[in-house]
Amino acid sequence: DQQVKQNSPSLSVQEGRISILNCDYTNSMFDYFLWYKKYPAEGPTFLISISSIKDKNEDGRFTVFLNKSAKHLSLHIVPSQPGDSAVYFCAASASAAGNKLTFGGGTRVLVKP
Amino acid sequence: DADVTQTPRNRITKTGKRIMLECSQTKGHDRMYWYRQDPGLGLRLIYYSFDVKDINKGEISDGYSVSRQAQAKFSLSLESAIPNQTALYFCATSDSQGTSYNEQFFGPGTRLTVL
């Protein structure tokens, strides 16, 4: 049973608009959450993260929101740019379990010019 | 130069063959990981190593083995490859002493096809 789920396998958005990617988790031990971005033929690269003691973290065009009671987090990209077209993975870790990462299935984002 | 390298980048092999995927890092990190990526399933952890003498199974270790030859090298072996091991394989590293100890750094991946 997947402990981290990204229910939208793909997302298409117009350049300049907002992209919203969603992620749900089931394990209440998770206390740190990360988003990774992956281009074809490359490894995933770290994008942004959030600790469970916060509900929002912002880095430039990227903002991650965490709703612990709903076990839900989201990534907002504003404004979306063509270079943001990639696959985005949500990941979670539990400090009590050695900080190993558990990944969601990914969401493919296409930003149209 | 890439901080985390994987060899080979692509490999086609036949059922029953033994194959080794290699990973090297120049980041000086103590922790290393092997993942496989399948469509819709994201990345799943195969094995991980928190230091040279520490090897642990991940969620899908059956059919795989690993060797941590040095702090900078971590290899993944398929003793007898089968078609459902066809996937994209990633090596990753992390620094347990760093301020971003949760963050893992990934290699470029190895595309493995088992016929």
Side-chain angles (χ1 to χ4, degrees):
Chain A
D1 188 30
Q2 283 189 290
Q3 297 184 64
V4 178
K5 288 186 178 180
Q6 295 175 252
N7 291 317
S8 297
S10 64
L11 172 69
S12 182
V13 64
Q14 208 68 31
E15 181 179 5
R17 305 295 290 269
I18 184 171
S19 295
I20 300 176
L21 289 75
N22 294 302
C23 178
D24 296 295
Y25 62 96
T26 57
N27 188 341
S28 58
M29 297 296 290
F30 288 146
D31 53 13
Y32 201 83
F33 304 88
L34 307 88
W35 285 94
Y36 279 81
K37 177 179 182 179
K38 184 184 179 303
Y39 292 119
E42 296 182 11
T45 55
F46 171 75
L47 189 59
I48 192 170
S49 62
I50 188 167
S51 165
S52 60
I53 62 173
K54 296 184 176 182
D55 55 17
K56 176 183 175 181
N57 188 28
E58 189 173 354
D59 183 2
R61 297 186 297 114
F62 303 91
T63 303
V64 56
F65 296 92
L66 175 63
N67 182 333
K68 283 200 305 181
S69 61
K71 292 189 175 67
H72 176 84
L73 63 155
S74 61
L75 174 68
H76 293 206
I77 307 173
V78 183
S80 299
Q81 299 174 353
D84 296 331
S85 296
V87 177
Y88 291 78
F89 292 100
C90 170
S93 71
S95 53
N99 301 107
K100 301 188 303 294
L101 295 182
T102 300
F103 284 84
T107 296
R108 182 178 301 277
V109 173
L110 175 63
V111 180
K112 297 179 179 179
Chain B
D1 286 341
D3 295 320
V4 184
T5 58
Q6 293 184 233
T7 56
R9 293 295 313 276
N10 288 283
R11 181 72 183 267
I12 299 174
T13 191
K14 294 183 177 180
T15 297
K17 294 291 187 181
R18 183 179 189 275
I19 185 166
M20 179 182 289
L21 309 183
E22 299 187 347
C23 176
S24 295
Q25 53 115 345
T26 57
K27 301 184 76 67
H29 290 172
D30 53 339
R31 298 182 171 186
M32 298 186 74
Y33 311 81
W34 275 104
Y35 293 89
R36 65 177 278 176
Q37 183 192 355
D38 298 279
L41 295 178
L43 283 79
R44 292 181 293 166
L45 185 62
I46 305 172
Y47 269 95
Y48 62 100
S49 169
F50 281 175
D51 66 42
V52 175
K53 295 182 181 180
D54 177 76
I55 303 288
N56 303 281
K57 292 182 177 180
E59 61 179 304
I60 54 163
S61 59
D62 287 350
Y64 301 94
S65 62
V66 291
S67 174
R68 185 85 183 264
Q69 300 94 324
Q71 186 183 39
K73 295 184 181 297
F74 193 35
S75 60
L76 175 72
S77 293
L78 287 68
E79 296 302 325
S80 179
I82 57 176
N84 77 359
Q85 291 178 312
T86 293
L88 197 51
Y89 289 84
F90 290 101
C91 173
T93 73
S94 68
D95 180 7
S96 65
Q97 302 302 313
T99 54
S100 300
Y101 52 83
N102 285 285
E103 183 182 339
Q104 294 182 16
F105 297 82
F106 286 81
T110 294
R111 183 168 295 281
L112 176 66
T113 303
V114 184
L115 301 176

